[in-house]
Amino acid sequence: MPCGACPLSSTALGLRVLLVYVLVTASTQNRSFPPASEASSRSPSQCKDDMTDLHQGYAGPSGWVICADLYQNVQLSVQRSMGQNSADIKWKNMQNKVAIAEMFLNHSASYFGEYKGRVSCDAQCNTLCLQNFTQADEGNYEKTETPKDGTQHKWTVHLLMLRSPKGLNISVPSKNSSDDELTLHCQAQEGTCLSYWWLKDGKPLPLDGRHQLSQWNQTLKIVNVTREDCVNYTCEGANRLGLVAAWRLLSDKNSSACAKATFSATHTLAISVGIICLLGFCLIIYCTHRHRQAIYSWIRGEEILVSSSLACAFLQHHWMALCPVQ
């Protein structure tokens, strides 16, 4: 079942990858893929023996979601049931509209078509055990309960094959409806029954009430956004088959709070350098004005010295030409 609010530190990333690898290796080495005849011979009580937390499923937007491994038994069930008040219970495959099982007035269940020998019900047929799961069994299943008053109650179960996660991405609206609120959504291109974790600047999310997670951690909502929130965010998605991660740095394209943070980081330095240069220029002007007489005398002295040197050099050149040394 997808994890609840369970953010972990980035230093645990390697440990989680190693743990996933060990689990996958162990399950691959210890798993045998029985033929359909052997799987069908299992008793209904063995269905639960193959169950894991992932098989038990979680509540999706349009029904209960269950992930299963190939060639293992899967338990199809829903969260709610009419119980003893149901006069008739039916299970149906919604892909091909094929009836699977039916129990009338709590009598023995009847099984139909290709599902004979592969399915079995519990005492009231509220739970359906499907043996030897294959990829062809993926799809939507519907349970219909009809009480004695004739009204029908229907529930949907989405049965998926467990797939490793790939291509994780974090999406952020370019501009949120409010500058005081930010929403980050994490989505994998591939993978089923994923658990999600969020990290803020490489650390677990603060437990301050401003960082709010959706039911399965897939969406992170930040309220009352400040400059300190404009950092790097990490989303990790994993199941027993693998782990992937994605990163996203919030900028002024996402919130005006980040724009203020950018201004304070870059423009403050430029303004400081400008002020220093202006003060230095003013100091030069002040010193020049105060010591202008000394500077003028120094400049005049340099001019006289340069003129005398040029005259001496001129006379010496012509003297040597007219009166060569014997």
Side-chain angles (χ1 to χ4, degrees), residues 90-107:
K90 294 180 181 179
W91 283 89
K92 181 170 61 175
N93 187 326
M94 297 299 295
Q95 294 343 95
N96 48 26
K97 306 297 181 181
V98 172
I100 300 175
E102 182 176 7
M103 177 179 287
F104 184 71
L105 292 176
N106 292 327
H107 290 84

Side-chain angles (χ1 to χ4, degrees), residues 121-132:
C121 282
D122 61 1
Q124 297 179 0
C125 212
N126 290 323
T127 298
L128 190 70
C129 176
L130 175 64
Q131 298 180 358
N132 193 29

Side-chain angles (χ1 to χ4, degrees), residues 300-314:
R300 292 291 299 173
E302 289 292 326
E303 290 179 352
I304 295 172
L305 179 61
V306 171
S307 300
S308 300
S309 299
L310 292 175
C312 291
F314 176 80

